[in-house]
Amino acid sequence: MNDSAVPPTQTTLWRNARLATFADASGWGWIERGALRTEGDRIAWVGPDGQLPPTAAASVDTAEHDLQGALITPGLIDAHTHLVYGGDRAAEFEWRLQGASYEQIAQTGGGIRSTVAATRAASDAQLFDSAARRARTLMAEGVTTLEIKSGYGLTATDEARCLAVARRLGQLGDDLPLTVRTTSLAAHALPAEYAGRADGYIDAACTWLAAQQAAGLVDAVDAFCDTIGFTPAQTERIFQAAQALGLPVKLHAEQLSDQGGAGLAARYGALSCDHLEHLSAGGVAAMHAAGTVAVLLPGAYYFLRETRLPPVAALRAAGVPIAIASDHNPGSSPCLSLLLMLNMACTLFRLTPEEAWRGVTVNAARALGLRDRGALVAGQRADFAIWDAEHPREMAYRFGHNPCRRVVCGGVERRAIGWT
């Protein structure tokens, strides 16, 4: 993870801005005419401009920016991506339009397996270059933290390669001042060489985790528990291996059917359960009890033309935190716009704009186990975006539009549009 800091003596004051701080448990945390001061890679002060204390005001050592009424929000957090892979699956998109289902394509060797073949064939440099381009596209829309899963290598060597590429993306400093959290997803699909031997593959995947952790490549462990993925019993073996290593878990759960995966993940204190279109009332209750975040993925729902909505009302009523993510991947959500996901979360899932925004800030941070970001609060990491907008609801309302003007990651400023 890249959390490189600017020098601790460097201070910057951002004034004459509208602020959506998300500092409280509900509401926008709105400050109509506000100011924000950073010291090094941390936020030092946030509040109304007129209440700026003398100790926070500009000095000879402080750079000051008049934002002329622009909007500041926390940096966006994309809590579920599959950013490292080779090839694409545009042909399968056409097949689906001709009537083939996601399951049928997977059963005939397409789907995840086709991306596995392309990923194994790609060089480390090719995987890195393509993933870096994708990461920069996300960052141009205000993303300052993202998660990247493996799952397209499906051998010990290739899973480690993909995780190493993801880790390197988060270590580029000024070249890509972005935090990257890595998740091992070897239990994503059954590779062809293990056909008919799913239990044997899970045995192998469990042994890879220790080496991945020893190499500093993994922050969490995930699995795909569904009819075309792995059974609850196989998933639990992955969780047990992760637990033995002290690694947190998360789960692709209840996307295509209800396998009871959310309840299983909750028993292991999962950071998040993701997708959740077929989540049961019991799964909702288990997630609430465990403090597990529900990560909804409207891009995949849209792209696969699903018709069963995740149980948003039940999650809301139970107080389960809801996050929103791009699920960028080549097969079911080839989208690189978290802003579009804001709109889709509102139009498809009927979230309010505030709920959607919390889904890409405070709740997304929680889904990654990060407590130092997601809100504009003194002491938090200085990750924020500056927008040509009067209110965050505008970004949920519009689509195909990027009003992001500047991005600040750990106190390091970058122009958001057109930077390379």
Side-chain angles (χ1 to χ4, degrees):
M1 182 175 73
N2 172 37
D3 278 334
S4 59
V6 295
T9 56
Q10 181 176 329
T11 61
T12 306
L13 182 61
W14 309 82
R15 306 188 70 168
N16 190 17
R18 296 178 172 91
L19 302 180
T21 67
F22 299 100
D24 300 320
S26 62
W28 296 98
W30 187 255
I31 302 174
E32 177 63 27
R33 183 178 174 86
L36 184 151
R37 178 184 169 97
T38 63
E39 294 181 0
D41 67 345
R42 299 287 142 179
I43 296 173
W45 188 89
V46 181
D49 195 283
Q51 297 178 18
L52 187 69
T55 55
S59 70
V60 68
D61 298 320
T62 300
E64 182 172 331
H65 299 273
D66 181 349
L67 295 183
Q68 301 179 341
L71 171 68
I72 301 180
T73 70
L76 275 56
I77 299 170
D78 196 344
H80 183 132
T81 83
H82 304 254
L83 217 65
V84 177
Y85 60 86
D88 67 42
R89 305 227 295 266
E92 292 178 15
F93 173 67
E94 185 174 16
W95 297 340
R96 280 200 299 274
L97 293 174
Q98 294 169 346
S101 70
Y102 187 57
E103 292 91 337
Q104 287 171 332
I105 291 171
Q107 290 167 359
T108 57
I112 292 171
R113 286 185 179 180
S114 66
T115 299
V116 169
T119 301
R120 290 177 178 179
S123 67
D124 291 358
Q126 288 170 325
L127 291 174
F128 177 82
D129 289 345
S130 60
R133 288 194 299 271
R134 296 171 191 134
R136 288 190 171 96
T137 299
L138 286 167
M139 193 173 180
E141 288 194 347
V143 172
T144 55
T145 299
L146 58 82
E147 182 238 30
I148 300 177
K149 302 178 190 291
S150 67
Y152 291 126
L154 307 188
T155 67
T157 298
D158 290 302
E159 285 291 292
R161 282 204 308 137
C162 290
L163 288 167
V165 166
R167 186 64 92 205
R168 182 182 165 200
L169 287 173
Q171 296 173 339
L172 294 179
D174 288 355
D175 290 337
L176 189 64
L178 179 76
T179 297
V180 173
R181 299 290 284 182
T182 57
T183 297
S184 178
L185 182 58
H188 194 197
L190 187 66
E193 60 268 27
Y194 276 89
R197 297 187 295 127
D199 285 327
Y201 177 69
I202 292 297
D203 288 341
C206 286
T207 68
W208 304 342
L209 288 177
Q212 292 170 359
Q213 185 188 48
L217 297 178
V218 59
D219 298 313
V221 177
D222 197 350
F224 183 26
C225 181
D226 218 314
T227 51
I228 62 171
F230 295 93
T231 68
Q234 291 161 347
T235 299
E236 185 162 21
R237 286 161 56 199
I238 290 286
F239 285 178
Q240 289 169 343
Q243 187 179 64
L245 294 168
L247 291 168
V249 301
K250 47 182 55 189
L251 188 65
H252 284 60
E254 274 71 283
Q255 179 185 10
L256 304 173
S257 64
D258 181 7
Q259 299 292 307
L264 168 64
R267 291 200 300 275
Y268 283 82
L271 292 173
S272 72
C273 291
D274 304 25
H275 287 290
L276 301 176
E277 284 86 342
H278 292 261
L279 180 65
S280 68
V284 172
M287 290 175 64
H288 168 68
T292 298
V293 177
V295 180
L296 305 186
L297 305 172
Y301 177 91
Y302 164 82
F303 195 77
L304 296 176
R305 298 192 297 172
E306 296 289 352
T307 57
R308 181 168 178 140
L309 290 164
V312 171
L315 292 166
R316 187 187 285 138
V320 175
I322 297 174
I324 304 298
S326 72
D327 189 20
H328 175 80
N329 73 82
S332 62
S333 187
C335 175
L336 284 167
S337 174
L338 204 52
L339 292 183
L340 179 57
M341 297 303 99
L342 282 176
N343 177 269
M344 285 188 174
C346 295
T347 56
L348 298 178
F349 296 165
R350 310 308 294 171
L351 268 65
T352 67
E354 181 202 330
E355 287 175 324
W357 263 94
R358 286 184 173 274
V360 296
T361 53
V362 286
N363 291 341
R366 183 171 173 178
L368 296 181
L370 298 172
R371 301 289 182 171
D372 67 342
R373 66 199 69 198
L376 302 179
V377 177
Q380 291 264 295
R381 184 172 155 83
D383 287 355
F384 53 91
I386 301 169
W387 311 84
D388 284 320
E390 294 187 358
H391 197 280
R393 68 173 66 95
E394 294 176 29
M395 276 72 85
Y397 158 68
R398 295 192 177 104
F399 53 95
H401 172 64
N402 179 14
C404 190
R405 182 195 297 177
R406 296 149 97 168
V407 179
V408 176
C409 300
V412 178
E413 182 189 357
R414 284 291 179 269
R415 298 283 176 178
I417 299 173
W419 73 282
T420 59

